[in-house]
Structures are given as structure tokens and as C-alpha cells.
Amino acid sequence: MKRPGPLLTLLAGLLLAVFMLTLNATTGTKNASSSSPEASPSATPQASPPPTGAPSSSSPPPPSKSAPPNADYAGRTDDNSSAVAVSLRGGKAIAYFCDGRSKESWLKGDVKDDGTMKLTGKHGAELNGTLKDGRSIRGTVDLGGQRYAFTADKAVKPSGLYRATATVRGAKLDGGWIVLPGGKQVGILDRDGKPAAAPTIDPQTGTVTVDGQTLTASPVTP
């Protein structure tokens, strides 16, 4: 038997080399596929950051408005015919309009956070006013078919609003006083429904003498 010739040996070598190259190429492709991030089941998607300017749930709420501070105000109407006093406490208000002779009205209502108020009294009386920087109240009073514009400045005691009620010698008395800045007083004393100019009170003590009897007028608050 003849030995395989050199040509047969060379051919066998070539076939072996082709086989090895094919095997290496296949193995490399598999390794590349298994190492890809997209193919890995354990890959975790990255969360996108919130857009710039997006509201945060931890942002503090806007500050709320508060009721106007407690204070008293007193002044005169623009025509100088009457006086007006207003007392503010806890978002409530009580006011007194008085001409010092026969015309008067007690009014009350709420004060809004912006300082505006609409107070009402008997017989359709109405006061509409606005608190100006906590220093004064500018507004109007509608009473008896007339409108009176007024300005009431912040009052410092003893200026302010006072009232006294009592029964003296069988008569029911109801007195209201406005002590203006500077000390001047405007008031009406009602006896059984008949109004008249009120006697002067002592604003330091609130005492007043009516028909020989001493009464005490107290500061008025809502």
C-alpha cells in the first residue's frame, strides 16, 4: 500500500484550519450577545430626573392672611356734623354714629382679611369702610336717607367708644359716647326712647352723673 501523498496531507490540514476558524467565530458571536446590556435580564432602567421647575410636594403652603389687628378708631364725618367710632376685635366690628343731638345708630358686622367691612344697624342703617394700613378707617354711613362720608383715625385711650345702660327712677337709660382724639366728646343719652345730648363722662374712669345718680360708661368691643 502506498503512503498518502503530500497533497492529501495538505488538504486535511486546510480542512482542519477552516473548521477551527468557523468554531471560533461562532463562539465570539455568542459571547458578545450575552454581554450586551439590552439582553441582560438584570439590567435596571434609569429613572429620568424631574423637569426643571416642577412643583415639589415638600414646598411649604403660601402664608395665609390674618384678620386685622384689634384696635379702636374715632373721627368725624366730612361735613363735620357727626362723629363715628369703630371697635375691631378678632375680625368683628361694632360702630357708633352720633350727631350729639338726636341722630344715632349702633352698627355691627364682620371685617374681612383685606380690611373691608359692611356693618348694619336698625332701620336699614349701614356702614361701609376700609381699613387703611391699620392707621385709619375711611368709609360712609347711610342713615335716614342720607350718606355721610367719614375718616376715623386709630384711637389711643382714653379716646374711643363708650356705652352705659341703666334704669334710673323707672326710666330706661341708654347712653353712647365717642371720645375723639384731643378729648372732645360727642354723645347721646336715650331716656325711654327719647334721645338728647349726653352729659360729659370722665374718660379715665367712665363715670357720669345722670339725674343725680352716678353711672359708669364702659369701653365698647364686639
Side-chain angles (χ1 to χ4, degrees):
M1 174 180 297
K2 293 183 180 180
R3 294 182 179 178
L7 183 59
L8 183 58
T9 301
L10 179 60
L11 181 59
L14 289 173
L15 290 175
L16 180 59
V18 171
F19 175 77
M20 292 300 294
L21 288 172
T22 303
L23 181 62
N24 288 339
T26 303
T27 303
T29 301
K30 289 182 177 180
N31 289 340
S33 299
S34 63
S35 62
S36 174
E38 291 78 8
S40 175
S42 63
T44 302
Q46 298 296 320
S48 301
T52 303
S56 171
S57 59
S58 61
S59 299
S64 58
K65 293 182 178 180
S66 58
N70 298 341
D72 300 310
Y73 300 84
R76 300 193 66 91
T77 56
D78 290 359
D79 62 7
N80 205 36
S81 68
S82 307
V84 179
V86 184
S87 177
L88 273 59
R89 297 292 187 277
K92 302 289 185 179
I94 186 168
Y96 182 53
F97 171 93
C98 172
D99 69 357
R101 297 179 299 276
S102 60
K103 189 176 295 185
E104 66 174 347
S105 181
W106 291 93
L107 310 100
K108 60 183 179 179
D110 296 329
V111 183
K112 296 183 179 180
D113 292 343
D114 61 1
T116 59
M117 63 193 78
K118 181 178 181 179
L119 315 182
T120 57
K122 294 181 179 179
H123 310 299
E126 184 173 294
L127 182 152
N128 290 278
T130 302
L131 183 61
K132 303 291 186 180
D133 300 324
R135 299 179 180 179
S136 64
I137 296 175
R138 179 65 181 169
T140 58
V141 173
D142 292 294
L143 179 65
Q146 289 184 277
R147 172 166 292 182
Y148 303 85
F150 73 91
T151 299
D153 295 324
K154 191 171 184 179
V156 178
K157 288 185 177 181
S159 297
L161 177 58
Y162 297 83
R163 189 174 193 178
T165 57
T167 300
V168 177
R169 299 178 183 177
K172 292 183 179 180
L173 306 180
D174 186 0
W177 289 265
I178 298 173
V179 179
L180 297 166
K184 187 174 182 180
Q185 298 183 19
V186 181
I188 286 181
L189 180 65
D190 187 295
R191 286 183 175 87
D192 288 334
K194 297 178 181 180
T200 301
I201 65 170
D202 180 350
Q204 299 295 337
T205 62
T207 57
V208 58
T209 301
V210 180
D211 296 337
Q213 183 168 334
T214 300
L215 306 179
T216 301
S218 301
V220 179
T221 57

